[in-house]
Amino acid sequence: MFKFLPLVLKTLWRHRSRTALTCVGAAIALFVFCFVGAVQEGMTDLQARQAAKGSLIVFQANKFCPATSHLPQDYQQQIQKLPGVDDVIPIQVFTNNCRASLDVIVFYGLPPDKIRKARDFQLKAGNWSEFEEHQDAAVVGSAVASRRGISVGDKFSIGDLTVQIAGIFTASDPAEENYIYSHLEFLQRGKGMNLVGTVTQHEVILKPGTDQLAICEMIDDKFRGGSVETDTRPKGVFQAKSLGDLNQLVEMSKYLGYACVVIVLSLVSTTTVMSVQDRIKEHAVLQTLGFTGRTVFALVLSESIVLSLLGGALGIASAVITLEFSSLSVSAEAVSVAFLPSFRLILVSLTVALVTGIAAGIWPAWQAARVDILGALRAS
């Protein structure tokens, strides 16, 4: 099949307008397919990372948005005494939107000495001492900085909240790069907040080998009769619950991905059928010269595959470049999911383009291989 590739490329070039339109259509369909897949990849990656960390989130019972959860900060000392608990981090969360959105700003307020212990950050600009010494300072994820055009030394405001940017960080977890980290007391004392003594949630870091579910039950039992009841879950489970509605939308978006595959199949198949009909005499001549039906079948099938792969590669490359430089994410209830252009997604998309090209070319290739040589020559 590969020795006839120059002939296949010359044939496609001969009808370059039709070839270009088909490739562009396939590219657009695979572009959308990659975007849908990137959200799913980001969701899977987020859940896998949090499950591996083995930490818990203590939230106020029967609450959903961070703005409605108010736990006493002194729960920290009581949770710290439980067996298997390594550390407890009080966290105040502020977000400008609890609903699903592509540009949610999420602030996490932590004690400054706890941030580097709890998160795997590397500053790409700025310095930690500047952040730790000034209560109104914040470090910003590179994805947020890129979307909002933020640089070290800038002031950034959302509503009545204004912070001085002391650093921009990258993280091993792409979702973390969509957050802004500030001082706990700064968020508690923010204008119009007056939340001193309360926090949105406590993050519980467990010692290796500790039974997560057992500790969850112990914490909730401990505060069942307290001033505020708690709902404790492993961090991955907590985030999955927060993203429940969004997860359903992501699941529904799979049908959009399937539709994109059907579009590519239709485009490539239609173009290949038109090509076969235009070249009936040519295929008859090839068989007269000694080309077998199997060879003609392979030639036409190769055209279909090349068309699909060319368009698919163009769409995939465009999607990966766009995702890489746009730092897109979608958030709900202060939990962000990064659009992740993973190697697995690229491989799956290329496979889809290849399989679609094969499926689209089988019928027209079979028609070309079974052409009546004498009838085709007479008709011409």
Side-chain angles (χ1 to χ4, degrees), residues 27 30-38 41 312-328 339-350:
L30 264 297
F31 183 90
V32 176
F33 181 87
C34 284
F35 259 74
V36 172
E41 287 289 308
L314 178 62
I316 294 165
S318 301
V320 169
I321 292 170
T322 303
L323 290 168
E324 195 65 40
F325 288 98
S326 61
S327 303
L328 287 173
F339 285 43
L340 202 60
S342 65
F343 177 76
R344 176 181 173 276
L345 176 62
I346 295 171
L347 190 61
V348 168
S349 300
L350 284 172

Side-chain angles (χ1 to χ4, degrees), residues 187-200:
L187 283 189
Q188 289 175 323
R189 299 176 186 275
K191 186 176 179 181
M193 293 185 183
N194 192 27
L195 298 171
V196 177
T198 67
V199 293
T200 304

Side-chain angles (χ1 to χ4, degrees), residues 38-39 42-43 46 175 178-179 243 246 328-331 335-339:
V39 181
M43 188 82 75
L46 177 68
N178 292 285
Y179 303 138
L243 296 169
L246 182 59
L328 287 173
S329 67
V330 60
S331 304
V335 178
S336 292
V337 177
F339 285 43

Side-chain angles (χ1 to χ4, degrees), residues 32-67:
V32 176
F33 181 87
C34 284
F35 259 74
V36 172
V39 181
Q40 296 169 346
E41 287 289 308
M43 188 82 75
T44 301
D45 181 75
L46 177 68
Q47 293 171 351
R49 286 179 185 274
Q50 299 308 336
K53 286 182 178 178
S55 57
L56 312 176
I57 295 294
V58 183
F59 208 70
Q60 184 174 348
N62 305 313
K63 300 294 180 180
F64 58 97
C65 181

Side-chain angles (χ1 to χ4, degrees), residues 4-21:
F4 295 115
L5 186 58
L7 177 60
V8 170
L9 294 175
K10 285 179 182 179
T11 302
L12 293 175
W13 180 252
R14 215 166 54 197
H15 302 89
R16 45 188 172 274
S17 296
R18 187 165 63 197
T19 299
L21 289 172

